[in-house]
Structures are given as C-alpha cells and as structure tokens.
Amino acid sequence: MDRLVGSVPDVLAAHPPLDALRHWFTTLAAYVRLKHGLGDALNTAAAQGVVSATSASVTAAVGRLLDACERAGEVRPGLDPTDVIMLMSCLWRTPDNPDGAAQANRLLELAIDGFRP
C-alpha cells in the first residue's frame, strides 16, 4: 500500500488528473484482487488495525488525486475522499476475469460521471 500511495505524484505527472484517478483506482483494485479476497478480509474486526494504519495515507492519496481533478475542473468541488474510497470499493469486488474487468470499468465510469461538475 505504501508503494501505491507513494505513486500518486508519478501518476499525476504521467496522466491528466482524471485519467490519473482512473489509473490509480484500477491499480488499487488489481492489487486487492491479487491478494485474493483482501477486500472482504479488510471488513473483519481482526483487520481493523491494518485498515487504521493505512487509512490515513490512502485517504490522503485519494484527496491529492481529487484535488488535482478539482483544480482541472474535471470533478465537482468538495468530494470527500473517504466517500470516494467507499464507492470505489466496488472495483475490487468484481470477479477476477475478463467479464469482471469489463464490469469494473463500467462501474468506474459510472462513479466518475457522478463526480463531474
């Protein structure tokens, strides 16, 4: 997670802000899927310590991406990073197969449409 959080400046440098947001969340979803059920495991009481330890840095990373998108006029002002993370959690709950990837892309675009000004 530290590596993913630390990638935000590079992702923003390589992509326009909204594409950076797409890329970052797609990478996060792939990482969680790779860890075989990490998304479900993070909802257990036993995992709350891990979640708490990484929550602030992930929230800050998403906030930085949203701020860049807001400055570019690509999303409406005032989106809450924790709300966006909760909404985007659907991405790593899709099946790990081509149909699931297509569904994740559709869900990502639906969410982004809701972020627009």
Side-chain angles (χ1 to χ4, degrees):
M1 287 306 275
D2 289 340
R3 194 173 323 145
L4 182 62
V5 166
S7 73
V8 169
D10 293 335
V11 173
L12 284 168
H15 304 280
L18 198 55
D19 288 341
L21 183 77
R22 281 184 182 97
H23 176 79
W24 195 87
F25 270 107
T26 300
T27 302
L28 174 62
Y31 175 74
V32 173
R33 262 191 238 102
L34 180 68
K35 295 300 180 182
H36 303 289
L38 181 58
D40 290 333
L42 290 177
N43 288 321
T44 66
Q48 289 309 303
V50 173
V51 171
S52 295
T54 60
S55 179
S57 61
V58 171
T59 301
V62 172
R64 186 168 180 182
L65 289 161
L66 290 172
D67 287 345
C69 290
E70 187 177 325
R71 283 191 305 275
E74 295 177 321
V75 301
R76 58 190 158 107
L79 292 174
D80 184 299
T82 58
D83 292 346
V84 171
I85 293 166
M86 178 66 76
L87 180 63
M88 294 300 208
S89 71
C90 67
L91 300 179
W92 53 81
R93 296 181 187 283
T94 60
D96 189 14
N97 59 42
D99 289 339
Q103 183 180 38
N105 286 334
R106 291 191 307 271
L107 291 167
L108 177 63
E109 292 308 315
L110 281 171
I112 288 174
D113 284 348
F115 301 160
R116 294 188 191 279

